[in-house]
Amino acid sequence: KIWVYETANYLNATPAVSGDRIIFGGCDAILHVVSGTTGKAVAKVELGQECHVASAPAIAGDKVFMGHYGNEFICVDLKTNKQLWKYVNRQQPFFSSPSLAEDRVVFGGRDKWLHCVKRSDGSRLWTFPTRRKIDGSPVICGDKVVFGSGDGRIYTLSLKDGTLIAKYEIGRPIFS
């Protein structure tokens, strides 16, 4: 054992690693930043009451992108440990881990929609509806987004505007 870092509640998702920083959210409603060398806390960002995290964050430079049970998808600046922006949902949490493109973030919601927002300010660029929740993480492939839904379909959309390119019926819900 090299080190152990203990939180006040359990963890549901894979942490992200950026340099020597290990970054994750937990069911204690805190974004934890831990030194990979020492296992000591570098920062703790309070997310708010009932803002448990069930997905892995995505990192670009000093920005962390993630959703939580508080029905928000957020961006946190690791230099200041402050929330830069939030994208609020219609009373449904975000379990999907996000995918990042140069200027946008794509993530699924329990509201049955795939969401695409600007990385700079969280403003909505487009959304795409499905028949069931989207807990699995979308994958960006060049100018396309591929994701599965609880409705048993795999979808391929245009990353630019969210238009449907193709869908494939699996016959079973997709949750990961």
Side-chain angles (χ1 to χ4, degrees), residues 59-95:
I59 303 170
D62 286 319
K63 307 291 186 289
V64 176
F65 303 89
M66 61 192 248
H68 57 64
Y69 272 83
N71 307 334
E72 297 174 344
F73 188 90
I74 62 172
C75 175
V76 173
D77 185 335
L78 291 175
K79 288 181 185 175
T80 63
N81 298 317
K82 302 275 188 221
Q83 183 175 299
L84 295 178
W85 55 256
K86 66 182 174 181
Y87 175 85
V88 180
N89 198 8
R90 300 179 303 249
Q91 311 234 343
Q92 294 290 326
F94 294 105
F95 287 9

Side-chain angles (χ1 to χ4, degrees), residues 2-6 20-24 32-44:
I2 298 172
W3 54 260
V4 174
Y5 179 84
E6 191 171 333
D20 185 50
R21 298 177 295 192
I22 299 170
I23 301 150
F24 58 93
H32 297 270
V33 183
V34 177
S35 165
T37 304
T38 67
K40 303 289 183 200
V42 173
K44 292 182 181 182

Side-chain angles (χ1 to χ4, degrees), residues 86-143:
K86 66 182 174 181
Y87 175 85
V88 180
N89 198 8
R90 300 179 303 249
Q91 311 234 343
Q92 294 290 326
F94 294 105
F95 287 9
S96 166
S97 298
S99 288
L100 303 177
E102 185 175 325
D103 63 344
R104 53 195 66 208
V105 184
V106 181
F107 50 94
R110 291 212 134 189
D111 62 351
K112 306 175 190 174
W113 291 79
L114 190 72
H115 301 264
C116 180
V117 301
K118 286 185 185 178
R119 268 179 46 177
S120 60
D121 63 9
S123 61
R124 182 184 343 198
L125 293 170
W126 54 261
T127 55
F128 181 85
T130 67
R131 293 182 181 169
R132 300 283 164 116
K133 62 188 173 185
I134 304 168
D135 284 347
S137 304
V139 177
I140 296 174
C141 303
D143 62 350

